Amino acid sequence: MSLTHLNLSNTDIIGNIPSTISHLSKLESLDLSSYRQVGLELNSFTWKKLIHNATNLEEIYLDSVNMSSIKGSSLSMFNNLSSSLVTLSLAFTGLQGNLSTDIFSLPNLQGLELSSNQNLGGQFPKSNWSTPLRHLGLSSSAFSGEIPYSIGQLKSLTQLVLSSCSFDGMVPLSLWNLTQLKYLDLSQNKLNSEISPLLSNLAHLTSCDLRGNSFSGKIPNIYGNLTKLEFLDLSYNKLESQVPSSLFHLSHLSNLDLSSNKLLGPIPIEITKHSKLSYVGLGYNMLNGTIPHWCYYLSSLLFLHLGYNRLTGSIGEFSTYSLQYLVLSKNNLHGHFPNSIFELQNLNHLHLSSTNLSGVVEFHQFSKLKKLTFLNLSHNSFVSINIDSSADSMSPYLYSLDLSSTNINSFPKFLARLPNLKTLDISYNNIHGKIPKWFHKKLLNSWENIQYIDLSFNKLQGDLPIPPSGLQYFLLSNNNFTGDISSTFCNASSLKVLNLADNKLKGMIPKCLGTLPSLSVLDLQMNNLYGSMPRTFSKENSFATIKLNGNKLEGPLPESLILCTKLEVLDLGDNNIEDTFPNWLEILQELQVLSLRSNKLHGTITCSSTKHSFPKLRIFDVSNNNFSGPFPTSCIKNFQGMRNLNDNQIGLHYMGNSDYYNDYVVVTMKGLSMELTKILVTFTTIDLSNNMFEGEIPKVIGELNSLKGLNLSNNGIAGNIPQSLSYLKNLEWLDLSRNQLRGEIPMALTNLNFLSFLNLSQNHLEGIIPTGKQFDTFGNDSYEGNAMLCGFPLSKSCKNEDWPPHSTSEDEKESGFGWKAVVIGYGCGAIFGILLGCQVFLTGKPRWLARFVEHMFNIRLKRRNNRANANRRRMN
Amino acid sequence: MGSFFILLPYFTFHLFLFLLFTHFTSYTFSLCNLHDKSALLQFKNSFSVNNSSQPDIESRCSSFSFKIESWKNSTDCCKWDGVKCDTMSGYVIDLDLSCNNLKGELHPNSTVFQLRHLEQLNLAFNDFFASSVHLVLVI
């Protein structure tokens, strides 16, 4: 055959490329590529023969051809590629292994495209890289390490695409000498250091994408030279400077994304008359000042994201109606809701949550926005949304509506006319009364795409709505729903999170809930449910959180719980469950929180002696039961999850990954019953209080060195306080009251530097109370009821000891605000501070930030009657 | 009116000459190799041209044409859209039917493979119904 050019690209032909293709020895150009993988294969034998015979080949395009059989040593055949080769394009071919540097040094090669070969790596030439290469594409490949200085020798390079690899270190300064570059994409790597001002050398640059690296420091204000720049993306870095004003004088720039950095200062107010900006992303920074005027009149603007900053002032009136996407959420804006928003005919996304706007919004105005798909007005407690005003024809495309915390007090009727709802959030409002009948009908018959419904924190009454089959998130907690949970709930087989907590639900829990395959959070706590908990959990279930506490559940614990291999939180506290200790749960390798408090559990607590029993348990609460027998040493000594946790190493992480659900739990902390809205991964407690445990405290407890709280009060525990307790360096509260403890208080306990609550009262302890450090902060009630104890702070002084007078404590009691109160306040406050602070700084999820205010109110301090008697005195 | 009848034979003669001339250019002076022409026409008939184009392919073709529609038995195949011949021999040397919305299977006995002097073949962006490359590249 005399064929020199063969192009069968994108023709849907499939199969193994026959080796006879190598008979085309005159071939100069071969294109069998495809923009999607169709099933063409090229094996290493054919490839070898082809490049051996077709020595005139100048162009090879085999993108999406499966060449995955060419790996390891057979990759070396690339070294035999014809030196006449001008273009080699092998993206998405499944090539694997390490390419030698030779391929980069082919003397005539102008285009090399090896992108999307995740297991293909190699080395760049470290020197002598002066080739006529114009295009180099290696995105989503296994190339890594530093970009070598030699890249600066590729003087003809116009396109450099090294995105989504693992390049790290600094960008070599030589790269900024590639003055022919038009297209530069280094996004999604680990490049760091500052962005060099030499960037201004690249006068031909039209597109520059450096997103998703670790670039830090300033953005050089040097963009005046880059007159051809159309696209600039520096988002998701650690840049700290101001927004460079020179960017806004570039008349060709249409796409500017600097979001998710640490940018400070105001947004430049001056902009060139010829600006073509259509996409402006400045969200998730720390920008202050006001929204610049050009945002309102620039007629090219389609996308404007200024959310999650510190912008102040009011939102002005728009005089151009080009905008399609507008995000101003989470700023310090105030003033009236701008009416001109309703004139933005092309708007499809509008996010104005947490903007402190005021005034009245006539909701029917939104029906003017015929293309609206996404509307978020949440957390605007000063705006009064007139939801009753008839919204005749809202955009039929509206699929996401968030009106959480917007002072709505009736169920929005216009929802009935939305055909395509996918997510609905009207939580944290004052909606009262029953859910209208049309909503039940819409749910089951019309809204085929609905995935997310949040009606929680309202005053809704009556029966629960039935979730439709496609629903994934059904959040109805903290309402006044009555009635029972229908077994038709189980038709919602896609459910991931079902939260019906804090209602007045009665009846039994449908047995079938345990068989929903995707359900990961089942929260039915604080209702009036009775009967037994679901007894059949299917294999391969997804449960991570089961919270059924605060009901009237009875009967034994279902052994099929051991099938919940992903279970992290099991809270069955405050029920009437009668059973022995479920030590068979010890095989759940992910279990971190086990609360069985306040039930009718009895018998001894023992575990198998394997090291893998309860390996991750961090909160173990069996208080207020009828457990008896010796101290549960066999369990406690295996709690690997309570050892060697390091706040600094782990960082302040919280449990759970869901944006839509917090794992929270009630624990008794420093004598107070508290609800932790989010559980720190390093939060570790053991509560065995109010049972009938006997025997001694084992020494081994000193190995649980991450323990923050230990409560053994009101048992029959005898013997001495072990010295090893002093190894619990993280201990913040220790309650051993109402036991039969004897002997002296170990001096070593004064080494517990974080101890802020100590209760040793009502025992048979004797001798001198240790002093120094934290022990100087505890009051009488820490020790009372121990007839043989003496010394500070008790009024009984020890023989032969000369303790200072105690008159000060009397004075303070009268003043009502003594040093004890300060200390207790400080201790509790510190815990609160950490919990709250970390929630804000570390989650980084917009949804969390948006809900920050609500969570503040969620950290509720509860004093439980049965626990508080002793503590009330302290707090008063 | 009379002058029209006088000139009529004159017009008729010229019309005859014109028809004769066009006849010769299309048949007698055709450059196209007849074997190649019949191979191309058979190739054309083995496909349907899909007018309802797939949007994803369309977006990748800078222009979308139906070159093959212009192929008529009565015309010189070297002047057909997408066809180039060797100016001396008249053999088809270049066939470019890319982005032509051809639909159908490409068989090993497809007449396109009878174009012995073909140097450039471009059939990109058509739909050959997952034809086996083994059968397509009968070389």
Side-chain angles (χ1 to χ4, degrees):
Chain A
M1 283 284 272
S2 50
L3 219 52
T4 59
H5 290 70
L6 178 61
N7 187 346
L8 293 173
S9 67
N10 298 292
T11 50
D12 259 346
I13 51 173
I14 59 167
N16 232 322
I17 295 170
S19 62
T20 47
I21 197 171
S22 60
H23 297 173
L24 301 171
S25 57
K26 293 182 180 165
L27 215 51
E28 292 166 20
S29 172
L30 175 66
D31 189 349
L32 300 177
S33 67
S34 180
Y35 62 88
R36 62 194 168 102
Q37 207 149 30
V38 284
L40 264 186
E41 277 185 58
L42 180 62
N43 64 38
S44 65
F45 174 72
T46 306
W47 174 241
K48 194 174 182 177
K49 255 182 113 176
L50 179 70
I51 56 182
H52 183 258
N53 287 348
T55 50
N56 298 322
L57 267 172
E58 291 179 7
E59 294 181 326
I60 301 176
Y61 297 94
L62 294 173
D63 309 85
S64 299
V65 175
N66 184 353
M67 297 170 73
S68 59
S69 67
I70 304 173
K71 54 187 168 189
S73 58
S74 56
L75 265 187
S76 64
M77 65 180 75
F78 275 85
N79 301 345
N80 302 330
L81 281 167
S82 156
S83 61
S84 56
L85 205 60
V86 176
T87 305
L88 180 62
S89 191
L90 301 174
F92 211 67
T93 52
L95 285 170
Q96 307 177 40
N98 269 329
L99 283 170
S100 80
T101 58
D102 296 14
I103 196 166
F104 297 103
S105 307
L106 287 167
N108 294 302
L109 199 64
Q110 293 182 21
L112 179 60
E113 180 56 73
L114 298 172
S115 293
S116 301
N117 294 304
Q118 278 156 7
N119 298 316
L120 183 68
Q123 295 288 319
F124 294 133
K126 291 279 190 304
S127 59
N128 298 330
W129 200 3
S130 311
T131 69
L133 208 58
R134 294 161 57 85
H135 171 99
L136 178 59
L138 296 173
S139 66
S140 302
S141 67
F143 281 83
S144 61
E146 292 198 7
I147 302 171
Y149 196 82
S150 53
I151 204 163
Q153 297 175 327
L154 299 171
K155 295 292 182 200
S156 310
L157 209 59
T158 59
Q159 296 190 327
L160 179 61
V161 185
L162 304 179
S163 58
S164 302
C165 295
S166 303
F167 290 110
D168 53 24
M170 287 174 62
V171 176
L173 289 179
S174 61
L175 192 138
W176 310 116
N177 295 333
L178 300 174
T179 52
Q180 298 302 310
L181 267 183
K182 289 179 181 168
Y183 191 99
L184 175 64
D185 185 353
L186 304 178
S187 61
Q188 309 288 4
N189 280 293
K190 297 167 191 164
L191 298 167
N192 56 36
S193 82
E194 296 196 359
I195 297 173
S196 169
L198 294 172
L199 178 65
S200 66
N201 290 349
L202 309 183
H204 296 291
L205 209 58
T206 58
S207 175
C208 179
D209 192 347
L210 304 179
R211 90 191 312 247
N213 280 289
S214 300
F215 289 112
S216 56
K218 289 187 173 181
I219 308 177
N221 193 6
I222 43 82
Y223 294 91
N225 290 344
L226 305 182
T227 53
K228 294 179 180 169
L229 200 62
E230 295 169 14
F231 180 104
L232 179 67
D233 190 343
L234 305 178
S235 62
Y236 294 93
N237 278 295
K238 296 169 181 171
L239 299 164
E240 286 173 353
S241 64
Q242 299 206 337
V243 180
S245 58
S246 56
L247 280 172
F248 297 87
H249 296 289
L250 298 175
S251 55
H252 288 98
L253 192 66
S254 69
N255 192 311
L256 173 65
D257 197 343
L258 305 177
S259 55
S260 298
N261 278 292
K262 298 171 183 170
L263 300 179
L264 302 161
I267 302 169
I269 53 170
E270 278 186 39
I271 194 164
T272 168
K273 265 189 249 172
H274 310 291
S275 175
K276 292 192 182 73
L277 274 177
S278 71
Y279 182 109
V280 175
L282 297 173
Y284 302 98
N285 279 296
M286 295 182 276
L287 300 170
N288 56 28
T290 57
I291 299 172
H293 200 56
W294 54 260
C295 291
Y296 306 119
Y297 70 74
L298 202 60
S299 61
S300 53
L301 206 56
L302 305 177
F303 180 106
L304 180 64
H305 193 320
L306 306 179
Y308 302 87
N309 277 298
R310 294 164 186 178
L311 298 174
T312 51
S314 56
I315 304 176
E317 297 291 348
F318 291 85
S319 58
T320 178
Y321 306 124
S322 55
L323 271 176
Q324 296 174 0
Y325 198 108
L326 177 62
V327 184
L328 301 174
S329 299
K330 200 73 187 153
N331 277 296
N332 301 327
L333 299 167
H334 63 269
H336 279 269
F337 191 93
N339 269 319
S340 54
I341 278 185
F342 301 119
E343 308 301 324
L344 300 173
Q345 298 289 327
N346 295 307
L347 206 60
N348 61 52
H349 270 67
L350 178 62
H351 300 241
L352 293 175
S353 74
S354 306
T355 43
N356 289 347
L357 294 177
S358 56
V360 179
V361 175
E362 298 292 339
F363 200 81
H364 70 90
Q365 297 245 61
F366 283 105
S367 61
K368 290 182 184 173
L369 306 177
K370 299 292 183 202
K371 295 178 181 170
L372 202 61
T373 60
F374 202 110
L375 177 61
N376 185 347
L377 302 176
S378 64
H379 305 280
N380 279 303
S381 48
F382 304 115
V383 135
S384 149
I385 296 180
N386 187 356
I387 209 92
D388 296 326
S389 59
S390 61
D392 299 328
S393 49
M394 285 291 288
S395 158
Y397 307 108
L398 193 68
Y399 69 82
S400 178
L401 179 67
D402 191 346
L403 297 175
S404 166
S405 192
T406 48
N407 288 334
I408 299 174
N409 46 29
S410 64
F411 209 89
K413 293 188 187 102
F414 69 88
L415 295 178
R417 286 186 289 272
L418 296 177
N420 292 316
L421 214 52
K422 198 171 166 186
T423 69
L424 172 67
D425 189 346
I426 50 174
S427 60
Y428 295 91
N429 280 298
N430 298 312
I431 305 173
H432 45 76
K434 288 184 176 180
I435 286 185
K437 278 181 184 162
W438 58 259
F439 187 82
H440 293 275
K441 278 185 193 164
K442 277 276 172 185
L443 261 189
L444 289 179
N445 302 324
S446 304
W447 287 333
E448 290 174 356
N449 299 323
I450 197 132
Q451 292 180 357
Y452 181 92
I453 293 176
D454 191 349
L455 308 178
S456 55
F457 291 90
N458 277 294
K459 290 165 185 161
L460 291 164
Q461 302 167 353
D463 290 338
L464 292 168
I466 307 296
S469 62
L471 198 70
Q472 296 177 9
Y473 300 89
F474 201 37
L475 313 174
L476 304 178
S477 71
N478 299 81
N479 277 292
N480 298 321
F481 285 114
T482 47
D484 53 5
I485 306 169
S486 158
S487 60
T488 51
F489 267 60
C490 299
N491 295 341
S493 54
S494 309
L495 267 183
K496 290 179 179 168
V497 177
L498 177 62
N499 188 352
L500 307 176
D502 289 278
N503 277 294
K504 293 171 181 167
L505 300 173
K506 289 176 187 162
M508 316 258 276
I509 301 172
K511 302 259 180 293
C512 52
L513 283 181
T515 60
L516 289 177
S518 309
L519 196 60
S520 92
V521 175
L522 176 63
D523 189 346
L524 306 178
Q525 65 173 312
M526 308 307 286
N527 278 292
N528 297 315
L529 299 166
Y530 54 80
S532 65
M533 62 177 287
R535 308 204 67 76
T536 23
F537 291 90
S538 46
K539 281 185 182 175
E540 310 276 321
N541 67 56
S542 307
F543 285 101
T545 299
I546 298 176
K547 292 173 64 61
L548 306 175
N549 53 300
N551 282 293
K552 293 168 182 163
L553 300 177
E554 297 168 347
L557 294 160
E559 291 204 22
S560 68
L561 268 174
I562 60 170
L563 296 173
C564 303
T565 52
K566 295 170 187 157
L567 199 62
E568 295 175 7
V569 176
L570 179 62
D571 191 345
L572 304 175
D574 298 292
N575 278 296
N576 299 322
I577 296 171
E578 283 191 70
D579 203 341
T580 52
F581 179 72
N583 57 2
W584 34 269
L585 287 175
E586 69 186 5
I587 65 164
L588 296 180
Q589 300 293 297
E590 302 298 324
L591 194 65
Q592 298 174 43
V593 176
L594 176 61
S595 177
L596 303 170
R597 55 187 284 150
S598 302
N599 275 292
K600 295 177 181 168
L601 297 166
H602 55 85
T604 59
I605 294 184
T606 52
C607 294
S608 72
S609 56
T610 63
K611 274 210 162 180
H612 302 294
S613 97
F614 295 115
K616 289 191 178 168
L617 203 64
R618 296 182 294 102
I619 296 179
F620 180 64
D621 189 347
V622 294
S623 62
N624 298 305
N625 278 291
N626 301 321
F627 287 119
S628 57
F631 198 90
T633 312
S634 59
C635 293
I636 280 169
K637 72 176 184 190
N638 286 333
F639 289 164
Q640 297 298 322
M642 301 189 185
R643 297 169 193 227
N644 303 323
L645 292 172
N646 187 330
D647 286 9
N648 297 327
Q649 277 172 13
I650 297 172
L652 296 170
H653 289 304
Y654 295 95
M655 287 190 65
N657 297 314
S658 168
D659 273 358
Y660 308 110
Y661 183 80
N662 275 336
D663 278 312
Y664 56 104
V665 70
V666 176
V667 293
T668 303
M669 204 156 89
K670 308 190 182 185
L672 296 169
S673 195
M674 289 184 186
E675 191 173 286
L676 297 177
T677 346
K678 300 195 78 182
I679 307 171
L680 261 178
V681 170
T682 54
F683 189 89
T684 50
T685 67
I686 291 177
D687 194 339
L688 306 180
S689 63
N690 297 311
N691 280 292
M692 294 174 286
F693 289 113
E694 296 164 353
E696 297 190 4
I697 303 172
K699 280 179 191 163
V700 70
I701 204 161
E703 293 177 15
L704 305 181
N705 54 10
S706 301
L707 211 56
K708 285 194 162 47
L710 180 60
N711 189 348
L712 308 178
S713 70
N714 203 13
N715 278 291
I717 296 169
N720 294 325
I721 299 175
Q723 287 274 350
S724 65
L725 276 184
S726 65
Y727 304 150
L728 302 176
K729 296 288 184 199
N730 292 295
L731 208 62
E732 294 176 25
W733 65 97
L734 175 63
D735 193 342
L736 305 178
S737 63
R738 299 169 196 232
N739 278 298
Q740 309 294 326
L741 293 167
R742 298 184 173 278
E744 295 188 357
I745 302 171
M747 274 302 288
L749 289 186
T750 58
N751 294 333
L752 300 175
N753 290 332
F754 294 107
L755 198 66
S756 61
F757 174 87
L758 176 70
N759 194 350
L760 304 176
S761 63
Q762 310 296 337
N763 276 295
H764 309 296
L765 298 167
E766 58 188 58
I768 305 170
I769 295 173
T771 55
K773 297 182 184 170
Q774 290 300 99
F775 271 70
D776 291 343
T777 66
F778 304 125
N780 278 351
D781 38 8
S782 290
Y783 308 106
E784 64 194 11
N786 290 288
M788 318 267 278
L789 278 180
C790 64
F792 178 81
L794 296 177
S795 50
K796 180 185 173 189
S797 60
C798 299
K799 287 173 192 169
N800 307 325
E801 286 289 339
D802 200 11
W803 293 99
H806 305 112
S807 56
T808 48
S809 63
E810 287 300 317
D811 294 342
E812 277 162 7
K813 267 183 185 163
E814 279 164 25
S815 75
F817 192 71
W819 56 271
K820 280 176 282 181
V822 173
V823 167
I824 292 162
Y826 176 79
C828 294
I831 298 274
F832 272 88
I834 291 168
L835 287 169
L836 279 174
C838 298
Q839 192 169 320
V840 177
F841 288 116
L842 286 172
T843 55
K845 293 173 185 167
R847 199 169 178 92
W848 290 130
L849 287 164
R851 296 203 161 170
F852 168 57
V853 180
E854 274 65 27
H855 291 312
M856 268 183 67
F857 295 108
N858 276 356
I859 297 190
R860 286 173 295 162
L861 193 67
K862 290 182 182 174
R863 285 190 221 173
R864 295 278 163 91
N865 292 337
N866 56 344
R867 307 293 306 128
N869 291 338
N871 308 315
R872 227 165 245 163
R873 277 201 311 278
R874 294 178 54 80
M875 291 305 284
N876 293 340
Chain B
M1 199 62 178
S3 61
F4 175 77
F5 286 106
I6 294 164
L7 290 171
L8 187 63
Y10 182 77
F11 281 128
T12 318
F13 177 70
H14 276 262
L15 187 66
F16 173 74
L17 278 183
F18 175 74
L19 288 174
L20 194 71
F21 182 75
T22 52
H23 181 81
F24 269 99
T25 49
S26 58
Y27 290 96
T28 317
F29 301 129
S30 175
L31 181 62
C32 179
N33 176 285
L34 286 176
H35 175 265
D36 282 5
K37 180 177 188 173
S38 102
L40 286 174
L41 283 173
Q42 283 187 51
F43 178 70
K44 171 188 173 176
N45 290 333
S46 65
F47 291 102
S48 66
V49 175
N50 180 20
N51 289 323
S52 62
S53 54
Q54 295 170 328
D56 56 337
I57 286 186
E58 200 168 5
S59 64
R60 284 168 169 83
C61 291
S62 55
S63 66
F64 221 73
S65 62
F66 303 99
K67 293 171 186 167
I68 209 164
E69 302 267 85
S70 73
W71 294 9
K72 300 268 160 57
N73 193 18
S74 56
T75 50
D76 181 358
C77 77
C78 297
K79 292 180 178 164
W80 290 350
D81 281 344
V83 180
K84 266 187 201 155
C85 301
D86 183 278
T87 47
M88 300 298 288
S89 64
Y91 288 120
V92 174
I93 55 166
D94 191 347
L95 181 60
D96 180 359
L97 290 175
S98 59
C99 295
N100 210 71
N101 245 343
L102 299 178
K103 264 184 180 285
E105 277 187 64
L106 200 56
H107 291 289
N109 51 1
S110 171
T111 52
V112 75
F113 302 116
Q114 294 169 10
L115 302 169
R116 288 288 154 199
H117 299 268
L118 202 60
E119 290 173 11
Q120 306 205 8
L121 175 62
N122 188 349
L123 299 175
F125 290 105
N126 289 294
D127 187 358
F128 295 151
F129 288 169
S131 302
S132 165
V133 65
H134 224 81
L135 303 176
V136 172
L137 288 172
V138 278
I139 301 153

